[in-house]
Amino acid sequence: MTDKMTMTDKAIRPTTLVISALGGQGGGVLTNWLVNMAEKNDYFAQSTSVPGVAQRTGATIYYLEIFPRSAVKEQNIPPVMALMPMAGDVDIVVAAELMEAGRAIQRQFVTPSKTTLITSTHRVFSISEKMALGDGTGDSQMVLKAAQQAARNFVAFDMESLAADMGCVISSIMFGAIAGSKRLPFSREKFEDAIRAEGKMVEANLRGFAAGYLAAETPYSEDRSGAEEADAAFGPIAGKANTPETKALLARINALPDAVREFAYAGAQKLLDYQDLAYAEAYITELEAFAVQDKIPFTLTHEMARYLALWMAFDDTIKVADIKTRSERVRKYRQEVRAEKDQIVHMVEFMHPRLEEIIGTMPVAMANMVQKSAFLTRFFTKFTGPRMSDTTKVSSFLMLYFMASLRFMRRKTLRYAQEHAEIADWLANVRQALSKDYDLAVEVTRCQRLIKGYGETHERGLGNFKTIMATLAQGKVTADRVRDLRAAALADEDGKALKKAIAA
Amino acid sequence: MAERSFAKEVKKLRLGEGEIFHGEGILAVTKALLQSGVAYVGGYQGSPVSHLMDVLADSQEILTELGVHFEANGSEATAAAMLSASISYPLRAAVTWKSTVGTNVASDALSNLASAGVIGGTVIIIGEDYGEGASIMQERSHAFAMKSQMWLINPRPNLPKMVDMLEKSFQLSEVSNTPLFFQLRIRACHLHGQFEAKDNLPPKFTVRDALENPNREADKIILPPFTFLQEKQKIEKRWPAAVKFILDEGLNEIFDGPEKDVGIIFEGGLYNVVIRALQMLGLADSLGETQIPLYVMNVTYPLVDEDLVAFAKDKKAVLMVEEGQPNYIEQALNKVFNDADLTCKISGKDMLPVAGEYTGQVMKEGIKGFLAKYKSGLVSYDEQADSMAGLSDMTVTAEDLESAIPARPPGLCTGCPERPFFSAMKMLEKEYGEIHISADIGCNSFGTLPPFQIGNTIMGYGLSAASSSAFSSVRGKRAISIMGDGGFWHNGLTSGIGSAVFNNSDNVFIIVDNGYAAATGGQYIPSSARTLKQDERKARIQEAVQGVGVKWVRSIRSYDIGNVKALVREAMTSHYIGPKVIVVEGECMLNLQRREKPIKAKNIKAGKREVKERFYVESETCTGDHACIRLSGCPSLTIKPSPDILREDPVAYVDNSCVGCGVCGDNVHVAVLCPSFSRAELIFNPSGWDRVKHFLRQGVIGFLQRHADRKRVRVVL
């Protein structure tokens, strides 16, 4: 039995590391740094990797083991090191993306007695998340919660933005975080020597290393996780009202229930910016009407504040033109494409106006005339089809600037008439539902979420919306039913799921 | 130019006697080949041995110095057939490929090679693509070894052992006149380790020597009566010679331990997992010192009966650890023990899963179960279980994580030239209706995954054209076959297009020409452009298909989405009866970027005028429907939370990895999506004229914008 004791003596067990990185995150570089550092400092090191399928966009799992030469001095035979991580036997797990950390937890590489889990909190969304018709993103909070429960030490911070700030690759941040977690038997200097030894982008990598090291010393806490801040809606909204009329409107907003205020204010701002003060006032008036019929926690009015504002600010050509010609848009644009100061940047817009968009921007009477006349239709069709317009060119800019200026007559346009007719029906439906079933009214309100986008996308959304509204007429429709139908409408593009749900 | 260059690493291949080699398993194997005096090498790329081909290609200089011939074979069948040079000449040879798929392709030649036998040591390094990270159907190469009687080496995965076994493999092949498989798993190929090098040996006998003194041996021809004699020879001469060599050289290893009445027998490749599992149970230490006697099969075929019997003779039971199925070795073992009247019981798939990879945990559970049955009381300790026990009091359940964590399927790279093609196909299916599509191996196989989900079957490399044969005579709606240029040259031209011409197939065949075998790392193929200046090629796909008699051939640039869609529609609806071939052209973006990026950077540094393009999505106008993403799936076209607190759905967003390929924009136009997309053209080192234009334009635009800004701040809420 005694020699069995020596066999379970963890003192001479290898230290095991799992590194999970996506393509381009430098997991290979990180692995080389670790291997070279270990070998230089009188350790055996073994690393291997399993690339994500065909090395394309999947995650690559690197696995390392290091073992002190001192432990085998007398026999001088190398240790037997495993080629794959074993559940429950990993000392350090490093994930370059949050969901990959989640996957490591799923595979039980992370345990409370053994594992230091180091992860970036940023997300690289997978195709399944990106292609959803609504919001298909994974549950980061759940993963963070699991990590805190599963790991012995948990280090988490947004490595990507830190790397951006430091002007380095994420791998050097991870290397710093590993050093900062102090689970490896090497001093900070040894880590830095490994970067110097590699000799590539040494300055940037050392910068990133230092930042990662520092970040890893501060343990993870909720507020650093990017979790939503506490609801800022409570208490009156200060606002920036600069005229008697806007001051008055702000007062009305602050008179609304706490729960509604934040959205109401955002909505009013949106509509003031979209059209004019009167438009914003009409919106608030509508909300006030719902608020008086509502009760704590004012779910209906809260949802109405959101969806009514979104619908009233429907995406017509005037809005699009307005947004694309604004100065702050240019600032945002240049920043996002990382243009240098005073660098010349051309902004080529991809537009595809259809006859509907053009006619929609006309006054109702004119629009009807055009639709009746084959000649005029043919004439205006000339202006449809794919367009590429560089808004840094005067001609294109003026064109859009003119479209934006049509805001003064927006209330007269065909599109406005159409949208507001729909809005009226919708509000009627909500009120009718409210008369018999509060929850139903809330769900009917939420159906506005289906209406979004342009061209065919918009038609699809509106079609689904109307299909669901039509079921209301048949009576005996529950809130759950409406919720399910809405989910079905968002399940696929060609409406198969919705058809099935309706039939069911 | 391969995706990964080993130019630096191959220097290690020059290490001499006594120097220490540090590096990857694949590189170590290459070094071992040179140390064995190999005369010619070749193969076909495929994970996990793609890098072996890349290393060899990058080692041209060293190979030439040593007088070693290297050939990037057209397919695994080509590589296997190449080995015929070792049938009548003492030429040491090595080829490599992905298995089992590559072995399937090669097996015709292999059967003939194995029957004739070899006099030059012949080693086939197979990358056994099994378990985590595998990209193919899960099968064992073991069956090929048995059916053709070729030996199967499965070495303990550490570099010194791998190198030693490879050198021994050449000797084994020579003494037994039998070609053999040298099996490596994914992790062994990517394994970083070290070993003591020896000098490289130039081949004793070279391919030139062979050509200058041709040697014809009639009895090596695969025709009766020789084939009957050859089969006898396999059994009477080659097999015993192999068994004797394995025994004499001690290729299989026994690690004894105090618990004499039980034992574990396993394939060499599993050694490290077995040891780690035993460690977890407190039955082995980090140096491999074990309590349970171990029999390590570094040669998994043939078995050395007397050796196994000697090991098991006085044991109550042994555990046969053999990954994958069927359990050929376990079955054989039963016969061996039975013939020897052993009382020793054999456990195997009764304790371990029949299918799937033997991970550390699986192995531990299996060994634990075996010992519980035959050596109860021995296991008093389970470090892994103790460590996992801590997870039991988590409040977040496995189901919670399951629903919280999205899958991450692979997809086409940023800017991939195949993306616009699949976008066009998806749009076409929207209008035209669904189409039966045979997909293929290679990057194009990702078209079968989200967001495109195009393709009904995948039958093998270059076989998509052949796999639509059943529908070839239907007049009316047509089937489509999609294959890459790699698959086309691998065998699609003959098995698919040629056959389609012969049978006057009415189907549509689309060949995606990205210029390389891209999925395996961008290796060159016959239609690769040798010099990009005059786009000079060794062979052209268009000419090749015309050569086999296709009359309807069109070529088109993949990024021209609208026209690609129109052309495929034309092919589907054309009155022409007969095979219709469309070559969709667009160079692999990885290779293009690797070439162009440095040049651009250099020019910008040098003050030359350069324009960088990338895309941008307007978060204010994006409504979060993501139709653009469903038509693209580009890694750089992603999502972010909407800046508008009223909107719940995330908005589309183009990250900085965008290479400005233009697919987003084209999709917007062809599919009539939304006005949110914009192409940014960043001008570096602008010309004087650029500056003047910019100044004048900004004068007007700036004025109007300031005017609008002023108007806006008059009324603020």
Side-chain angles (χ1 to χ4, degrees), chain A residues 9-114:
Chain A
D9 174 3
K10 283 177 216 61
I12 56 159
R13 288 286 305 285
T15 307
T16 61
L17 289 93
V18 166
I19 297 169
S20 175
L22 303 175
Q25 289 186 314
V29 180
L30 177 58
T31 306
N32 288 340
W33 281 334
L34 287 161
V35 167
N36 296 337
M37 173 174 64
E39 287 184 340
K40 271 206 181 50
N41 293 284
D42 213 24
Y43 271 70
F44 290 101
Q46 178 179 284
S47 76
T48 183
S49 64
V50 175
V53 182
Q55 300 91 39
R56 303 289 179 257
T57 68
T60 300
I61 309 289
Y62 300 84
Y63 182 62
L64 286 86
E65 295 200 353
I66 64 169
F67 190 88
R69 285 183 177 276
S70 55
V72 299
K73 276 261 159 32
E74 55 285 351
Q75 305 95 319
N76 197 34
I77 39 161
V80 179
M81 302 202 262
L83 274 69
M84 63 175 113
M86 183 181 203
D89 187 37
V90 184
D91 296 304
I92 304 177
V93 171
V94 187
E97 196 268 354
L98 184 58
M99 287 300 156
E100 294 311 316
R103 245 179 279 283
I105 298 167
Q106 268 183 314
R107 297 176 66 178
Q108 300 184 301
F109 292 157
V110 183
T111 64
S113 56
K114 259 203 177 134

Side-chain angles (χ1 to χ4, degrees), chain B residues 344-526:
Chain B
C344 176
K345 292 254 168 293
I346 300 173
S347 264
K349 296 290 185 186
D350 57 335
M351 291 297 171
L352 287 146
V354 173
E357 186 169 33
Y358 287 174
T359 63
Q361 187 177 2
V362 168
M363 187 71 76
K364 187 213 72 181
E365 296 303 335
I367 292 173
K368 206 174 173 183
F370 168 73
L371 293 175
K373 182 166 178 189
Y374 295 104
K375 200 91 172 104
S376 56
L378 179 64
V379 176
S380 59
Y381 167 93
D382 187 336
E383 184 183 332
Q384 196 235 3
D386 298 348
S387 167
M388 307 256 286
L391 295 171
S392 55
D393 42 18
M394 280 179 72
T395 62
V396 180
T397 67
E399 296 68 40
D400 293 338
L401 284 175
E402 191 57 47
S403 53
I405 300 170
R408 199 184 292 282
L412 302 168
C413 307
T414 300
C416 176
E418 307 197 9
R419 174 168 295 106
F421 163 65
F422 283 113
S423 302
M425 290 298 290
K426 199 170 177 185
M427 289 185 230
L428 178 69
E429 279 203 304
K430 260 212 172 82
E431 307 168 3
Y432 181 86
E434 288 182 5
I435 303 169
H436 179 92
I437 296 174
S438 311
D440 211 287
I441 301 288
C443 296
N444 60 87
S445 60
F446 294 149
T448 61
L449 300 173
F452 300 114
Q453 285 139 314
I454 286 171
N456 302 49
T457 57
I458 297 182
M459 278 295 103
Y461 198 31
L463 289 173
S464 63
S467 43
S468 64
S469 305
F471 314 112
S472 66
S473 61
V474 180
R475 302 291 180 253
K477 198 169 182 184
R478 290 158 177 162
I480 297 181
S481 299
I482 299 172
M483 77 170 81
D485 45 0
F488 174 80
W489 292 114
H490 182 267
N491 79 28
L493 174 60
T494 50
S495 72
I497 307 298
S499 178
V501 170
F502 181 61
N503 293 289
N504 196 34
S505 163
D506 196 28
N507 289 334
V508 177
F509 304 90
I510 300 173
I511 297 149
V512 185
D513 176 9
N514 62 22
Y516 309 84
T520 52
Q523 293 80 7
Y524 282 136
I525 52 174

Side-chain angles (χ1 to χ4, degrees), chain B residues 189-505:
Chain B
C189 292
H190 297 283
L191 180 65
H192 170 100
Q194 45 190 292
F195 69 92
E196 189 177 328
K198 297 190 198 139
D199 293 329
N200 295 336
L201 297 177
K204 289 200 196 68
F205 191 84
T206 69
V207 285
R208 171 177 298 281
D209 300 333
L211 278 183
E212 280 164 4
N213 332 277
N215 169 27
R216 184 175 181 285
E217 297 166 291
D219 60 348
K220 299 279 180 81
I221 306 287
I222 307 302
L223 277 178
F226 311 118
T227 43
F228 302 108
L229 302 173
Q230 288 163 2
E231 190 191 13
K232 274 209 183 59
Q233 222 178 44
K234 277 184 176 178
I235 303 307
E236 291 162 3
K237 205 171 137 290
R238 302 180 200 169
W239 187 306
V243 169
K244 182 175 184 309
F245 182 86
I246 297 166
L247 209 48
D248 297 350
E249 295 290 322
L251 297 190
N252 296 326
E253 302 164 286
I254 290 175
F255 299 91
D256 211 349
E259 307 295 344
K260 297 257 179 271
D261 52 354
V262 289
I264 306 177
I265 305 175
F266 54 90
E267 300 164 295
L270 296 173
Y271 175 75
N272 301 40
V273 194
V274 170
I275 290 296
R276 180 56 50 87
L278 289 169
Q279 279 174 19
M280 287 295 143
L281 299 172
L283 298 173
D285 70 10
S286 300
L287 308 184
E289 192 58 44
T290 170
Q291 302 262 305
I292 313 285
L294 308 176
Y295 181 100
V296 184
M297 290 182 172
N298 292 309
V299 183
T300 50
Y301 189 83
L303 302 183
V304 184
D305 302 8
E306 53 183 298
D307 211 13
L308 287 160
V309 169
F311 176 76
K313 189 156 79 286
D314 309 321
K315 301 199 183 312
K316 207 161 32 157
V318 294
L319 176 65
M320 180 65 229
V321 182
E322 172 182 21
E323 213 170 25
Q325 46 77 39
N327 55 346
Y328 302 111
I329 305 178
E330 187 181 343
Q331 293 169 18
L333 210 55
N334 275 286
K335 171 85 166 69
V336 173
F337 286 13
N338 185 41
D339 293 355
D341 301 318
L342 294 194
T343 56
C344 176
K345 292 254 168 293
I346 300 173
S347 264
K349 296 290 185 186
D350 57 335
M351 291 297 171
L352 287 146
V354 173
E357 186 169 33
Y358 287 174
T359 63
Q361 187 177 2
V362 168
M363 187 71 76
K364 187 213 72 181
E365 296 303 335
I367 292 173
K368 206 174 173 183
F370 168 73
L371 293 175
K373 182 166 178 189
Y374 295 104
K375 200 91 172 104
S376 56
L378 179 64
V379 176
S380 59
Y381 167 93
D382 187 336
E383 184 183 332
Q384 196 235 3
D386 298 348
S387 167
M388 307 256 286
L391 295 171
S392 55
D393 42 18
M394 280 179 72
T395 62
V396 180
T397 67
E399 296 68 40
D400 293 338
L401 284 175
E402 191 57 47
S403 53
I405 300 170
R408 199 184 292 282
L412 302 168
C413 307
T414 300
C416 176
E418 307 197 9
R419 174 168 295 106
F421 163 65
F422 283 113
S423 302
M425 290 298 290
K426 199 170 177 185
M427 289 185 230
L428 178 69
E429 279 203 304
K430 260 212 172 82
E431 307 168 3
Y432 181 86
E434 288 182 5
I435 303 169
H436 179 92
I437 296 174
S438 311
D440 211 287
I441 301 288
C443 296
N444 60 87
S445 60
F446 294 149
T448 61
L449 300 173
F452 300 114
Q453 285 139 314
I454 286 171
N456 302 49
T457 57
I458 297 182
M459 278 295 103
Y461 198 31
L463 289 173
S464 63
S467 43
S468 64
S469 305
F471 314 112
S472 66
S473 61
V474 180
R475 302 291 180 253
K477 198 169 182 184
R478 290 158 177 162
I480 297 181
S481 299
I482 299 172
M483 77 170 81
D485 45 0
F488 174 80
W489 292 114
H490 182 267
N491 79 28
L493 174 60
T494 50
S495 72
I497 307 298
S499 178
V501 170
F502 181 61
N503 293 289
N504 196 34
S505 163

